[in-house]
Amino acid sequence: MKRYFSVIVVALSLLLGSCENRTEEPVGVGTLDMSAITATVSTRALTDNWVVTLTGESGVVGEWRYAELPEKVELREGNYTIDVASHSHFAEVSREGYFVGSEEVTIVSGKTTTPDAVTCRIQSLKVSVVFEGEIVEAMADDCQTTISLGEVSLSVGKDDAEPVYFRPLDVTNTLHIDFAGTVDGAAEHFATDIAGVKVGQWRKIVIKMTYEDGERVFGASIVGWSQDDDIYVE
């Protein structure tokens, strides 16, 4: 079933001091083709729960889940902004990245406007932890790594290599990595900081264990970072 949403404002004014009522000309109304908001992405997709917000010069006109978008919206002529976000709230830490983008549209009286592509970019910091070398077989099940940004943290187990996403505190950020647990029957602890992390960057932390003069030595390295792919909403 087709869905339509109408926002029509007609302004009427009374000319004071005159014995004759005069009515202003109605403001023109145009149509925005909301069905044109779709997504084609290589590794990600705009899902039903993404949030689409339409804002006009006087405020928010409407907000919808992507699955509930009306096919067309009738609007007073003027300028509007389409905002698209992966979540309604930007969490301080999550197992999912937060993406957002916007596009300006102009509604013309009597015409249908098709919005241009909206590019949604990740706004999160992305980090994952993996283990390599002798430490892999030496770790007990109680081993975990706590990843922190400021006062916010999330702990992952020794076999959990899935990314963790943080809401940035600044343009550049410092992540704190804290490993603790039983290794070869002994309690071990290792901590390090990863500085200079920016929005959209992925820090993949590799923790290894070596031996120096018979003593276990733990270290962490960054094997690479990359900018996450954009999400194109057409």
Side-chain angles (χ1 to χ4, degrees), residues 23-191:
T23 303
E24 292 182 356
E25 288 296 323
V27 176
V29 173
T31 302
L32 178 62
D33 185 1
M34 300 289 281
S35 66
I37 301 178
T38 59
T40 53
V41 191
S42 57
T43 58
R44 299 171 180 83
L46 189 152
T47 67
D48 287 349
N49 289 322
W50 280 55
V51 180
V52 179
T53 304
L54 181 63
T55 305
E57 296 171 351
S58 59
V60 175
V61 174
E63 181 177 287
W64 305 268
R65 291 175 58 247
Y66 179 65
E68 299 169 348
L69 275 177
E71 184 174 328
K72 297 182 184 298
V73 176
E74 291 185 341
L75 299 165
R76 173 178 175 169
E77 62 182 354
N79 298 317
Y80 295 83
T81 301
I82 300 171
D83 293 300
V84 181
S86 57
H87 302 78
S88 59
H89 172 68
F90 192 176
E92 291 181 313
V93 62
S94 175
R95 300 312 292 264
E96 296 182 339
Y98 179 77
F99 293 81
V100 68
S102 64
E103 179 66 28
E104 304 294 326
V105 294
T106 299
I107 300 300
V108 180
S109 178
K111 296 184 178 181
T112 296
T113 299
T114 300
D116 292 333
V118 179
T119 301
C120 294
R121 292 186 171 89
I122 192 168
Q123 303 299 305
S124 311
L125 311 178
K126 178 180 178 181
V127 60
S128 57
V129 178
V130 297
F131 298 89
E132 289 184 358
E134 296 184 47
I135 193 174
V136 175
E137 297 298 327
M139 287 187 296
D141 290 339
D142 66 340
C143 289
Q144 67 175 14
T145 305
T146 301
I147 310 166
S148 305
L149 177 63
E151 300 298 320
V152 179
S153 65
L154 191 148
S155 297
V156 297
K158 66 185 183 71
D159 298 318
D160 186 355
E162 290 299 312
V164 178
Y165 297 87
F166 288 91
R167 186 174 70 193
L169 298 176
D170 211 331
V171 176
T172 58
N173 302 265
T174 298
L175 294 166
H176 182 70
I177 309 298
D178 193 297
F179 167 81
T182 304
V183 180
D184 269 344
E188 298 287 357
H189 175 259
F190 167 76

Side-chain angles (χ1 to χ4, degrees), residues 207-228:
I207 296 178
K208 297 181 179 181
M209 179 183 69
T210 58
Y211 288 89
E212 294 182 8
D213 298 326
E215 297 290 331
R216 283 194 293 261
V217 177
F218 296 87
S221 61
I222 304 172
V223 296
W225 64 270
S226 63
Q227 197 80 13
D228 269 63

